[in-house]
Amino acid sequence: MHIYYYDENFKYQGEDVITDYDEIPKNATDVRPQEGLYLPAYDENKRQWFESASKEYIDNLQPDPLPPDAVTMLKKQVALLTLQVSQMQRGGAS
């Protein structure tokens, strides 16, 4: 059985596997955190995990968008490579 540990503030601390005969420790649950949580925290009363990260924290983890000139350059490279593959499939440049 998988168990999921949390600290004194109910923040996720990792998981472990125990046998069905072992007792679940006081600072753990058998409720698995759902996918997509950045900083899971456990609610003992509701027996569920929730997101404890602030919007600012989550936003800071997102990659910066590419500058517009980089996007244009990548589009041109894709177009050129597509043309080259098409020419190779027809047996050479036309």
Side-chain angles (χ1 to χ4, degrees), residues 4 12 15 32-38 40 49-51:
Y4 307 91
Y12 177 77
E15 64 183 88
R32 181 179 189 183
Q34 61 267 34
E35 295 290 323
L37 297 178
Y38 290 88
W49 293 90
F50 63 94
E51 181 62 71

Side-chain angles (χ1 to χ4, degrees), residues 13-88:
Q13 296 297 305
E15 64 183 88
D16 199 0
V17 177
I18 61 173
T19 69
D20 291 336
Y21 302 105
D22 291 330
E23 286 189 36
I24 296 176
K26 291 185 185 287
N27 64 330
T29 179
D30 59 350
V31 178
R32 181 179 189 183
Q34 61 267 34
E35 295 290 323
L37 297 178
Y38 290 88
L39 292 175
Y42 187 65
D43 184 326
E44 283 184 315
N45 295 327
K46 294 181 180 178
R47 286 192 41 83
Q48 68 183 24
W49 293 90
F50 63 94
E51 181 62 71
S52 68
S54 68
K55 181 177 178 352
E56 293 79 21
Y57 177 86
I58 294 170
D59 289 346
N60 284 334
L61 295 176
Q62 305 307 315
D64 293 334
L66 291 173
D69 58 334
V71 172
T72 302
M73 181 187 68
L74 289 172
K75 285 181 181 179
K76 288 180 182 178
Q77 287 178 343
V78 167
L80 179 60
L81 290 171
T82 302
L83 174 63
Q84 289 172 343
V85 167
S86 173
Q87 289 173 343
M88 288 174 58

